Amino acid sequence: MKRAAIREFMTPLPHTIGRDQPLSAAHRLMNEHHIRHLPVLSAGQLVGIVSDRDLKFVEALKDVDPERVTIEEAMSQ
């Protein structure tokens, strides 16, 4: 049985977002590229991941403004 290489499943150049970007920027990227997860970077280093579900959960909290709350508040490390 042949084993699949990881590179067969990975996206070579994934779309990413900075941890200091607003939640609204993540929504725009996800909608534009039809994706549900974004790797989160800080100074070019991977620091987390944010999903569409994460964004919706945080935005459902009282007084959350997606233009002002940052990805860092919603991402998983």
Side-chain angles (χ1 to χ4, degrees), residues 3 5 12 17 20-21 24-27 31 42-43 46-47 50-51 56-57 59 63-64 67-68 70 74:
R3 297 178 80 173
I17 194 159
D20 59 343
Q21 295 296 304
S24 58
H27 275 296
N31 290 335
S42 177
L46 180 66
V47 295
V50 68
S51 70
K56 289 176 182 172
F57 176 77
E59 290 172 352
D63 297 327
V64 170
E67 295 291 334
R68 303 194 78 190
T70 64

Side-chain angles (χ1 to χ4, degrees), residues 17 22-24 26-27 30 35-40 47-61 64 66 69-77:
I17 194 159
L23 300 182
S24 58
H27 275 296
M30 289 178 180
I35 54 178
R36 295 185 316 198
H37 299 84
L38 286 170
V40 180
V47 295
I49 189 162
V50 68
S51 70
D52 182 57
R53 179 182 279 178
D54 296 331
L55 297 175
K56 289 176 182 172
F57 176 77
V58 171
E59 290 172 352
L61 299 173
V64 170
V69 175
T70 64
I71 296 299
E72 188 169 32
E73 301 293 324
M75 72 179 202
S76 297
Q77 293 183 349

